[in-house]
Amino acid sequence: MLVYKAGLFTLILGAGLISAQSLAVSLSSNCSDTLQSLLASPDAACMNLSPFLSLAIGAEKSIPVTVNNWLTGLCSSGTCSNGSLAAIVANVTNGCAQDLSSLGIDTSSLGGQMTDIVQQVYPTARRVLCLKDASKLCATQTLENLENVIGSLGSDDLSLVNLLGNIQKVTSSNVTNLACTNCTKEAMNIVTQDFPDIVSQSNIVQPVQNICGASFTDGNSPDGITETAAAGQFSIKLDSGALKEYTNLAVLLYFILAYLFAPISFV
């Protein structure tokens, strides 16, 4: 349940970081406004969300490149504080209450649970996202492996029609080449270490072993995989001149996003 709720929360958050023209979702006006402001918010600076703007405005069309740029910045800086995470969750749950409700999350009944869930899951998710195989981020490697099956991954592939077509290509391919890599094995190790009860209760181990073999869940770290998430807490250290430039950039970013989200069909 913990991972499920965090996944739905992330779905809403991610949906707002990509242009409405490329992603087949419909956000409420309140949620759209909330997510626009979030990209320029100091509370979300630790998330390094700016690469998604390049994808949204079409300056960068490759999803693997966008994800690589995002994670390179996220992993090289410190972690988000619990205060920043709480502020992000509060903004999204309040501004996107209607949208989360449509996904089965009643924010009024959750109280502080969503904040607790995100704060619990975030460190593990960051560790997994910042895994590297030799010199390449595992997330980038996985997306490039996916491209070998379905072709180039761009913003157009986020439309519902293209998503369904790509899913069919993946299911008809040799899924072990995508699912049973050293990267995914170490990701499984980390999730199992941090949430052993959830993994054991989810009945996921046996299906994974059926696909990838018993050794895939033995807990041993594969060679060449390293954790690269920087230690310490994220902070912005700016002098007065840089602070003025940062503020101007944030204002500009907000208005660009306001323009981008204007065509959304609100519900």
Side-chain angles (χ1 to χ4, degrees), residues 143-166:
L143 288 171
E144 290 176 350
N145 290 343
L146 184 60
E147 285 189 319
N148 291 334
V149 176
I150 66 175
S152 297
L153 270 172
S155 56
D156 290 343
D157 292 288
L158 296 173
S159 70
L160 182 60
V161 173
N162 288 337
L163 277 174
L164 292 175
N166 289 336

Side-chain angles (χ1 to χ4, degrees), residues 40-145:
S41 168
D43 288 319
C46 57
M47 293 287 192
N48 187 43
L49 300 175
S50 57
F52 290 102
L53 177 63
S54 296
L55 187 67
I57 65 177
E60 176 57 62
K61 297 185 181 298
S62 168
I63 290 176
V65 170
T66 299
V67 169
N68 189 73
N69 291 340
W70 167 50
L71 293 178
T72 298
L74 182 144
C75 297
S76 62
S77 57
T79 64
C80 296
S81 68
N82 278 343
S84 291
L85 293 174
I88 292 170
V89 172
N91 285 334
V92 175
T93 53
N94 290 333
C96 299
Q98 175 183 339
D99 307 79
L100 289 166
S101 177
S102 69
L103 293 174
I105 298 180
D106 182 3
T107 56
S108 62
S109 65
L110 282 176
Q113 281 189 356
M114 184 59 72
T115 298
D116 292 340
I117 290 170
V118 171
Q119 289 174 344
Q120 288 177 55
V121 171
Y122 166 76
T124 302
R126 186 169 177 268
R127 288 179 65 193
V128 169
L129 289 170
C130 296
L131 287 174
K132 272 190 174 181
D133 185 354
S135 61
K136 178 169 288 189
L137 283 163
C138 281
T140 307
Q141 181 190 90
T142 301
L143 288 171
E144 290 176 350
N145 290 343

Side-chain angles (χ1 to χ4, degrees), residues 93-245:
T93 53
N94 290 333
C96 299
Q98 175 183 339
D99 307 79
L100 289 166
S101 177
S102 69
L103 293 174
I105 298 180
D106 182 3
T107 56
S108 62
S109 65
L110 282 176
Q113 281 189 356
M114 184 59 72
T115 298
D116 292 340
I117 290 170
V118 171
Q119 289 174 344
Q120 288 177 55
V121 171
Y122 166 76
T124 302
R126 186 169 177 268
R127 288 179 65 193
V128 169
L129 289 170
C130 296
L131 287 174
K132 272 190 174 181
D133 185 354
S135 61
K136 178 169 288 189
L137 283 163
C138 281
T140 307
Q141 181 190 90
T142 301
L143 288 171
E144 290 176 350
N145 290 343
L146 184 60
E147 285 189 319
N148 291 334
V149 176
I150 66 175
S152 297
L153 270 172
S155 56
D156 290 343
D157 292 288
L158 296 173
S159 70
L160 182 60
V161 173
N162 288 337
L163 277 174
L164 292 175
N166 289 336
I167 289 172
Q168 290 177 344
K169 291 180 182 178
V170 171
T171 54
S172 63
S173 69
N174 184 359
V175 71
T176 58
N177 292 336
L178 292 173
C180 307
T181 66
N182 285 344
C183 283
T184 53
K185 184 179 192 296
E186 186 60 16
M188 181 77 177
N189 289 343
I190 291 173
V191 173
T192 302
Q193 292 165 11
D194 289 358
F195 300 106
D197 292 340
I198 292 177
V199 171
S200 63
Q201 294 172 12
S202 66
N203 298 320
I204 195 176
V205 174
Q206 189 58 54
V208 168
Q209 289 179 342
N210 292 341
I211 296 173
C212 300
S215 63
F216 195 81
T217 59
D218 61 12
N220 295 324
S221 295
D223 294 335
I225 305 298
T226 56
E227 293 190 35
T228 68
Q233 189 168 298
F234 175 87
S235 63
I236 300 176
K237 297 179 180 179
L238 299 173
D239 57 32
S240 58
L243 180 60
K244 181 178 180 181
E245 291 182 7

